[in-house]
Amino acid sequence: MENARIDAVVNKYQDIPIQKFGEGIDLRRLNMKTVAMTWVEMKEGYASPLHRHEDEQTVAVISGRLRARSGPQGEEVYCEMGPGDILTVPSNVIHQVEALEDAVFCEAFGPGPNLEKGIQTVYMRKQQKAAQKVKAAEQAEKNN
């Protein structure tokens, strides 16, 4: 039986497709079997939505400054981050990062990646519920 050879692969920055994550936030994401890695460029004044996800996450600041938020409304904890600082986010902890100046950071998600489910924000859940209600009403109308 011949052993299959698996080599390390260099993914060039310019070859990784940009995914827009709202205004002012560009992502370049790579998914492997057990980890997802994302290069993030965030413009000053922009922030990720307040969200949570199943995967654990680390955020390593490369340049610029971020304000990290953790915890639900009324129990928030804030911390400023600069180059070299690393934020660790356990599974399903509500969090957010905001760029205090133009910032570049890398995120790693694991043990997933479970990112096909995406992040869960209050706004997104409300949108999903509203869409489900519309679909159910349309189905009920068809059945009548």
Side-chain angles (χ1 to χ4, degrees), residues 102-119:
D102 287 358
V104 174
F105 53 97
C106 275
E107 302 176 322
F109 297 87
N114 294 312
L115 294 174
E116 67 275 357
K117 293 180 183 177
I119 63 171

Side-chain angles (χ1 to χ4, degrees), residues 7-74:
D7 288 332
V9 175
V10 173
N11 295 274
K12 294 291 192 176
Y13 172 85
Q14 65 273 11
D15 295 336
I16 303 169
I18 295 172
Q19 300 173 8
K20 292 288 188 184
F21 193 67
E23 186 72 25
I25 306 172
D26 290 348
L27 310 177
R28 295 173 189 263
R29 179 169 288 150
L30 296 172
N31 292 323
M32 297 177 68
K33 289 182 182 174
T34 59
V35 71
M37 182 70 144
T38 309
W39 179 272
V40 183
E41 297 174 14
M42 185 180 287
K43 298 288 184 194
E44 180 179 348
Y46 290 93
S48 66
L50 188 59
H51 67 283
R52 61 183 172 81
H53 36 72
E54 288 183 33
D55 289 324
E56 296 176 322
Q57 178 183 13
T58 60
V59 175
V61 180
I62 296 166
S63 65
R65 288 184 20 250
L66 297 175
R67 178 183 301 127
R69 173 188 171 175
S70 178
Q73 191 168 7

